[in-house]
Amino acid sequence: MNREINRAGLNDISGAYGAQNIQGEEQQKLDVIANIRFIRALKNGGEVCAIISEEEDGVIDLANNKGKYVVAIDPLDGSSNIDVNVSIGTIFSIYRRKSEIGTPVEDQDILQKGSDQVAAGYLLYGSSSMLVFTTGNGASGFTYEITLGEFYLSHQNIRIPKMGNIYSINEGSYHSFPGYIKKYIELCRKKEYCARYIGSLVADFHRNMLRGGIYLYPSTKKSPKGKLRLMYECNALAFVVEQAGGRASDGQRRIMEIQPESLHQRVPLILGSEDMVRQVEALCKEDLIKY
Ligand code: AFP
């Protein structure tokens, strides 16, 4: 994917594909290409029995009963940034199937909680391409060496600062945020924190993880349940950030403890430096007590 993304302006693979995905979002050509490529690679790998993808309505059953793992993936996140040469990413979660190996995939294999993930991570196609992932024993980053075509360990055991001074939120929606989010933004402004928002979750998250900060996508009038998807965006980053010493919440609950009810379920997402996320949770609690 790295090669295609880097050549996006030169060949006919940027721009809209002309269809919408299940969420009603316009698919970009690279969304479709990334989806096909990842599904093909996971199928050929032989370890996976089913895939949940942002770009597909239902579960992709690979008819590989011997496969031990279920993968949830957002093949290309931040795709509205492709045409303007801004960083984008891929996000993935890996689950061990619950049903017996050798039998067909069951519902219980698919809708698993984030706390059941055995590995998760993301690829960031930025000024360099990086893979950051965890298997539950810390989180590390690997940078892609383009001439050798390999990822090399470059960020061993990443630790997110407990407190930071960056906040990332689409402030254009300020007037439709819940009260506690508005209060938190006021607080960030008073303290003259740095507002940084790229609009590519992976890129915003990665910067905040290395520097210390918070990312917020709360409920809005347009997206009452938040915009981001629990199964292939929030859970993976929640696992990574927790393994780096940070926190991920929907305001009231730990993201990884939310029981998914559907493949494309959306949740509010607040994640990053532990003390910053706790402060938002405290403001949310105050609001709930008041009303
Ligand atoms: P696209 O893939 O449609 O660009 O959406 C990207 C995304 O899911 C996530 O990467 C961003 O953080 C978020 O949406 C940005 O959404 P807003 O444009 O509403 O701020």
Side-chain angles (χ1 to χ4, degrees), residues 17-29:
Y17 176 64
Q20 291 189 338
N21 64 16
I22 177 78
Q23 357 267 332
E25 295 162 348
E26 196 174 352
Q27 285 180 310
Q28 302 295 306
K29 287 179 195 159

Side-chain angles (χ1 to χ4, degrees), residues 39 42-44 46-51 59-70 97 101-106 110:
I39 293 172
L42 292 169
K43 187 175 182 183
N44 292 343
E47 298 290 343
V48 175
C49 54
I51 303 170
V59 174
I60 307 158
D61 186 340
L62 295 180
N64 171 24
N65 292 352
K66 286 190 192 142
K68 294 193 217 61
Y69 300 103
V70 171
R97 67 185 293 177
I101 296 167
T103 62
V105 175
E106 295 176 18
I110 306 301

Side-chain angles (χ1 to χ4, degrees), residues 265-281:
Q265 181 174 338
R266 297 173 193 266
V267 285
L269 178 67
I270 298 147
L271 87 167
S273 293
E274 183 185 348
D275 289 353
M276 298 175 94
V277 176
R278 283 196 189 280
Q279 197 163 17
V280 179
E281 287 175 321

